[in-house]
């Protein structure tokens, strides 16, 4: 905001020239534009009174922050109006070297920097408007494409460069006004980045966002790959918005008309070149289509000959099939005898398989019976052994009984 800071030097131009210049261009509160060597400066006015356009009157006119906001809003009005008028007069797509477009970006940069809170980092204090612009991605998902493109751009090392690239991409997308309205409506989020009396937090920010709608009528094609956005110095050139009387105004108007005519001539020549190139391309396509048509005609003739050949082959195959059918009918008797023989052979084979299966069953039963006989013999042997043991025990018991009876008889005697 050093460009808008009031100076204490005495004014050099006369009061009449100051009043005329201010009325023809912009009301800058109690500041005026003066020439100091090769530079344009803002200096305080104490000896004249100017009637400003109706603006929001709820601020203190002596508040320097309010004056800065009003100055920035008026500069934004002038830059947007001048950009639209010059772009419509040229009638072509704007590029990065177009002076009014460059000044518009400088003014927008100053507007976004106004009232930014200072953030402390490892490298010192830093003020960047890239943080508020990143909020748009969260509030409007379609802005994510711009943010991703900015982060992918090579050569951008600072948040300031990323913010400048974001403004250019949003202008090319014709969404700058919508994005600005989105973040201005969320002052609860902007309060993290801006002071309460910053431009983006006050009514002037909403006015600028509304003015940006007019930029949707222009087309811009900006190449940012070779442009150094990190180290550019954003200085407002007030000479673009000043008028020095009738002669200079007419000469400037004449120069502008000549420039517009030259630009239109270049545009027409470029358009003719594009049309000539398009005609050549169309002629080449017509030649290619004619060659392709000739080739397709030849292929169609070959295909017709092939169809005729295939039809002849089909007729020949039908004749051969009818001859083979008659031959088969003549040999049908031999075929019946052969069929009966095959049937008998099949029956005998099946009978043999049944007999072999029955034999296998009988052999299995015989093996089971032999196993059962062996088990019975073993059981009989075991029972005989047990019987012999029982008989021996019975003999022993009898001997014991006899001994007991003899002892009892001897005891009675």
């Amino acid at each position: 905001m050093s460009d808008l800071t009031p100076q204490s030097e005495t004014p050099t131009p006369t009061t009449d020239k100051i009043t005329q210049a201010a009325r023809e261009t912009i009301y800058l509160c109690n500041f005026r534009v003066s020439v100091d060597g090769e530079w344009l400066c803002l200096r305080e006015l104490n000896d004249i009174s100017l009637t400003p356009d109706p603006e929001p009157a709820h601020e203190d006119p002596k508040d320097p922050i309010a004056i800065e906001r009003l100055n920035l809003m008026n500069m934004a009005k002038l830059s947007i109006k001048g950009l639209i008028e010059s772009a419509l007069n040229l009638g072509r797509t704007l590029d990065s070297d177009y002076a009014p477009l460059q000044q518009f970006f400088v003014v927008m940069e100053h507007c976004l920097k106004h009232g930014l809170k200072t953030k402390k980092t490892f490298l010192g204090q830093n003020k960047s408007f890239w943080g508020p612009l990143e909020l748009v991605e969260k509030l409007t998902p379609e802005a994510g494409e711009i943010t991703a493109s900015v982060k992918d751009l090579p050569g951008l090392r600072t948040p300031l460069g990323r913010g400048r690239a974001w403004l250019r991409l949003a202008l090319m997308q014709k969404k700058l006004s919508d994005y600005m309205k989105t973040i201005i409506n969320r002052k609860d989020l902007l309060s993290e980045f801006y002071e309460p009396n910053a431009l983006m937090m006050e009514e002037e920010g909403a006015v600028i966002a509304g003015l940006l709608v007019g930029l949707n009528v222009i087309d811009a094609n900006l190449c940012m790959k070779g442009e150094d956005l990190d180290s550019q110095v954003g200085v407002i050139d007030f000479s673009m918005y000043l008028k020095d009387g009738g002669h200079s105004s007419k000469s400037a108007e004449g120069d502008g008309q000549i420039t517009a005519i030259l630009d239109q001539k270049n545009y027409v020549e470029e358009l003719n070149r594009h049309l000539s190139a398009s005609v050549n391309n169309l002629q080449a396509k017509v030649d290619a289509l004619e060659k392709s048509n000739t080739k397709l005609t030849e292929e169609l003739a070959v295909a017709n000959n092939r169809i005729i050949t295939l039809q002849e082959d089909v007729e020949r195959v039908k004749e051969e099939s009818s001859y083979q059918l008659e031959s088969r009918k003549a040999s049908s008797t031999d075929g019946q005898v052969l069929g009966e023989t095959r049937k008998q052979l099949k029956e005998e084979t099946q009978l043999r398989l049944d007999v072999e299966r029955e034999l296998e069953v009988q052999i299995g039963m015989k093996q089971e019976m032999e196993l059962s006989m062996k088990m019975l013999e073993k059981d009989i042997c075991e029972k005989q052994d047990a019987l012999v043991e029982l008989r021996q025990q019975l003999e022993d018991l009898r001997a014991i009984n006899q001994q007991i009876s003899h002892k009892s008889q001897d005891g009675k005697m």
Side-chain angles (χ1 to χ4, degrees):
M1 294 305 299
S2 59
D3 298 328
L4 300 177
T5 304
Q7 305 292 329
S8 59
E9 300 179 7
T10 57
T12 54
T14 61
T15 304
D16 295 337
K17 288 186 68 177
I18 296 172
T19 306
Q20 180 183 0
R23 288 175 179 172
E24 289 178 348
T25 57
I26 181 174
Y27 171 65
L28 296 176
C29 296
N30 57 340
F31 295 90
R32 65 171 173 80
V33 179
S34 64
V35 180
D36 186 6
E38 296 180 353
W39 296 89
L40 294 172
C41 304
L42 287 179
R43 298 183 180 181
E44 187 173 359
L45 295 177
N46 295 320
D47 54 347
I48 62 173
S49 61
L50 301 175
T51 304
D53 296 333
E55 299 292 345
H58 60 280
E59 298 288 347
D60 185 2
K62 296 182 180 181
D63 185 6
I65 304 298
I67 294 173
E68 290 178 0
R69 288 200 307 268
L70 186 60
N71 289 339
L72 286 173
M73 184 181 69
N74 290 329
M75 288 306 303
K77 286 182 180 179
L78 279 180
S79 63
I80 293 171
K81 180 181 178 181
L83 177 59
I84 294 174
E85 290 179 352
S86 59
L88 293 178
N89 290 332
L90 291 178
R92 60 179 175 86
T93 302
L94 306 181
D95 53 16
S96 301
D97 297 332
Y98 191 56
L101 184 61
Q102 294 178 352
Q103 283 301 303
F104 165 73
F105 287 127
V106 172
V107 173
M108 285 302 301
E109 181 179 336
H110 280 278
C111 293
L112 291 171
K113 283 183 178 179
H114 184 265
L116 272 175
K117 293 182 179 179
T118 302
K119 292 188 176 181
K120 295 182 179 180
T121 62
F122 292 103
L123 301 177
Q125 296 181 350
N126 182 25
K127 282 186 177 183
S128 173
F129 58 89
W130 171 241
L133 296 182
E134 282 187 304
L135 294 175
V136 182
E137 181 181 7
K138 300 178 182 179
L139 302 176
T140 306
E142 63 184 16
E145 181 180 355
I146 293 182
T147 305
S149 300
V150 170
K151 294 180 180 178
D152 293 338
L153 280 175
L156 293 181
R157 300 180 301 275
T158 62
L160 177 60
R162 288 191 286 271
R164 289 170 173 172
W166 189 95
L167 288 175
R168 285 157 173 79
L169 291 175
L171 179 66
M172 286 192 290
Q173 199 182 35
K174 298 185 179 181
K175 291 287 186 180
L176 183 57
S177 175
D178 297 336
Y179 295 156
M180 294 298 294
K181 289 179 181 178
T182 300
I183 57 175
I184 286 175
N185 292 333
R186 294 300 303 271
K187 291 184 173 54
D188 54 334
L189 299 178
L190 287 179
S191 60
E192 180 183 355
F193 302 96
Y194 288 101
E195 299 292 344
N197 55 359
L199 183 141
M200 296 293 288
M201 302 291 289
E202 295 293 342
E203 188 175 352
E204 289 82 358
V207 173
I208 293 175
L211 295 173
L212 293 175
V213 177
L215 298 179
N216 294 338
V217 301
I218 65 175
D219 297 323
N221 185 13
L222 310 178
C223 181
M224 292 171 286
K225 289 186 178 180
E227 191 174 359
D228 185 10
L229 298 177
D230 293 320
S231 59
Q232 288 182 358
V233 179
V235 179
I236 300 176
D237 185 8
F238 293 100
S239 62
M240 296 180 60
Y241 312 109
L242 293 176
K243 298 179 181 179
D244 295 332
H247 178 72
S248 61
S249 175
K250 292 179 180 178
S251 61
E253 183 179 358
D255 293 339
Q257 291 178 354
I258 294 173
T259 304
I261 293 172
L262 292 175
D263 289 338
Q264 290 177 0
K265 177 178 175 293
N266 295 331
Y267 174 73
V268 171
E269 291 178 353
E270 185 69 20
L271 184 60
N272 288 333
R273 283 195 293 270
H274 283 295
L275 290 175
S276 299
S278 300
V279 169
N280 293 331
N281 292 332
L282 291 174
Q283 186 63 38
K285 290 181 179 179
V286 168
D287 295 339
L289 288 174
E290 289 179 352
K291 293 179 180 179
S292 178
N293 190 17
T294 305
K295 186 177 179 180
L296 289 175
T297 304
E298 294 175 355
E299 292 179 354
L300 180 61
V302 173
N304 290 330
N305 295 332
R306 181 62 178 169
I307 290 172
I308 294 172
T309 305
L310 290 174
Q311 288 177 351
E312 293 176 354
D313 293 340
V314 168
E315 294 295 333
R316 186 174 62 255
V317 169
K318 286 182 178 179
E319 293 177 357
E320 292 177 356
S321 299
S322 60
Y323 175 75
Q324 290 178 0
L325 183 59
E326 291 177 356
S327 300
R328 289 178 181 177
K329 289 180 179 179
S331 60
S332 60
T333 306
D334 297 336
Q336 291 178 357
V337 174
L338 182 60
E340 292 178 357
T341 304
R342 287 180 179 176
K343 185 176 181 180
Q344 290 178 359
L345 178 61
K346 185 176 181 180
E347 291 177 353
E348 291 177 357
T349 303
Q350 185 66 32
L351 182 60
R352 180 184 174 185
L353 292 174
D354 294 339
V355 172
E356 289 178 354
R357 194 178 297 110
E358 185 68 22
L359 180 60
E360 290 177 357
V361 172
Q362 294 294 332
I363 291 172
M365 292 177 64
K366 181 180 179 182
Q367 290 177 354
E368 290 179 358
M369 289 178 66
E370 290 177 354
L371 182 59
S372 300
M373 291 295 293
K374 289 180 180 179
M375 293 179 65
L376 286 173
E377 289 177 355
K378 184 178 179 181
D379 191 17
I380 290 171
C381 291
E382 290 177 356
K383 289 182 178 180
Q384 287 178 353
D385 293 338
L387 183 59
V388 171
E389 290 179 359
L390 289 174
R391 287 180 179 176
Q392 185 64 35
Q393 291 177 2
L394 183 59
E395 293 295 334
D396 293 338
L397 288 173
R398 286 179 181 176
I400 291 171
N401 288 333
Q402 288 179 359
Q403 289 178 4
I404 291 173
S405 62
H406 286 307
K407 285 181 182 181
S408 61
Q409 289 177 3
D410 292 338
K412 288 181 181 180
M413 292 180 172

